[in-house]
Amino acid sequence: MTIDGLLQLHTLRAGAPGAVPLVLLHGFPLDHRMWFDVTPLLAGEPWVLAPDLPGFGTSPTGPDVAQTVGGSGPSIEVMADGVAATLRAAGVDRAVVAGLSMGGYVAMALVERHPELVAGLALLDTKATADAEQARARRLEIAGTVEIEDTIEAVLGMRSALLAPAHRTGRPDLVERLEAWIRDQGPDGVAWAQRAMAARPDRSAVLAAFDGPSVVVVGEFDELSPPEVAREMVGLLSDAELVVVPAAGHMTTIENPEPVAAALTGLLGRVRD
Ligand code: MLT
């Protein structure tokens, strides 16, 4: 969608505009629906904006957003600039920004590139470090595969890896939801995002410089961004709380949404105090 000549990300909106909004940035290879179990549990019906990141859901593609915000090639920075432009078009000049995994990478890029926008930061099941060489090579290989095959089959296996081991067999409903959401994404968006994540830098110094309130949330059984990685981020941040979500893996928002909603509600309160 284009408003005033600016390309907008498709954005789920809830609550009444007014106070500092909560911006929710989804993980890979998903879209805003991964927040659906959390938003009804937020206390006080806050203003919520949950964009689909470039190339996901019904948002414009990464290359189209890059053209609009002035970036070149797949990058987390283009995603962050697209989010910033969308927020500003919605009249937002300060927000509590929460990102899960890939959404966390984008949230950290927002802190770096648009610090005035980020009044509070929630990092869920994510990491500040860049990929190791092997992980980067694997992402580029997957990007090539989904493009050549023209399907997202190569990332479908993530539907189990995203969950706690007990949920992979014990919660077929979660596996099915993830599969449906992943199948709704396109190969071009998946490939672009894999290349963007492969290119991302270490943002540990960005966290160390952030002086607003923050919360780091991690699933007890997250194997992709484990609790020790979350503790390292808490150590870097100056005003951070740690919330370890019981019985959850990487997808805390659907595996155990109550503690996630409580953590986000608490952060909104700290920003408004
Ligand atoms: C995610 O959940 O967004 C992914 O695990 C991010 C990644 O591949 O690093």
Side-chain angles (χ1 to χ4, degrees):
M1 181 173 48
T2 307
I3 296 177
D4 297 338
L6 269 173
L7 206 59
Q8 304 294 301
L9 301 181
H10 171 257
T11 303
L12 170 85
R13 291 154 205 259
V20 180
L22 176 62
V23 174
L24 301 173
L25 304 175
H26 64 81
F28 172 90
L30 305 167
D31 57 39
H32 71 274
R33 289 174 290 178
M34 55 144 277
W35 298 104
F36 272 179
D37 294 2
V38 169
T39 46
L41 302 174
L42 295 166
E45 297 185 14
W47 182 19
V48 174
L49 298 164
D52 287 338
L53 291 169
F56 293 93
T58 51
S59 272
T61 66
D64 283 349
V65 175
Q67 207 173 25
T68 309
V69 298
S72 65
S75 76
I76 294 294
E77 290 78 9
V78 163
M79 294 198 196
D81 290 354
V83 170
T86 301
L87 293 180
R88 292 202 173 98
V92 174
D93 54 13
R94 266 177 99 237
V96 170
V97 178
L100 185 140
S101 201
M102 179 178 76
Y105 309 154
V106 178
M108 288 180 251
L110 265 174
V111 172
E112 183 177 59
R113 298 169 71 78
H114 305 276
E116 68 291 345
L117 271 176
V118 186
L121 180 65
L123 297 172
L124 296 82
D125 303 284
T126 191
K127 48 174 99 79
T129 50
D131 285 345
E133 197 45 56
Q134 206 181 355
R136 188 176 295 131
R138 179 82 187 119
R139 286 194 198 277
L140 300 180
E141 189 186 322
I142 291 171
T145 303
V146 294
E147 273 178 349
I148 289 165
E149 294 180 349
D150 200 24
T151 78
I152 53 74
E153 292 294 322
V155 292
L156 205 50
M158 283 186 75
R159 66 191 181 283
S160 288
L162 292 172
L163 297 171
H167 287 162
R168 292 172 195 165
T169 48
R171 290 289 308 271
D173 58 314
L174 295 182
V175 178
E176 276 167 30
R177 279 174 91 190
L178 285 173
E179 170 158 356
W181 292 341
I182 295 172
R183 283 197 186 280
D184 280 346
Q185 312 309 322
D188 291 347
V190 165
W192 191 90
Q194 281 287 28
R195 293 190 177 110
M197 288 191 283
R200 80 186 193 284
D202 185 313
R203 287 204 161 89
S204 300
V206 174
L207 293 194
F210 181 71
D211 60 4
S214 56
V215 64
V216 178
V217 177
V218 65
E220 180 183 9
F221 301 116
D222 185 346
E223 293 178 353
L224 303 180
S225 318
E228 57 266 28
V229 170
R231 287 194 183 91
E232 281 166 22
M233 291 194 295
V234 170
L236 291 169
L237 289 155
S238 58
D239 182 14
E241 290 177 357
L242 175 68
V243 175
V244 179
V245 179
H250 193 62
M251 287 303 300
T252 44
T253 58
I254 61 169
E255 296 186 81
N256 193 356
E258 285 86 359
V260 176
L264 297 177
T265 298
L267 180 62
L268 276 168
R270 284 161 67 204
V271 167
R272 286 177 191 149
D273 284 346

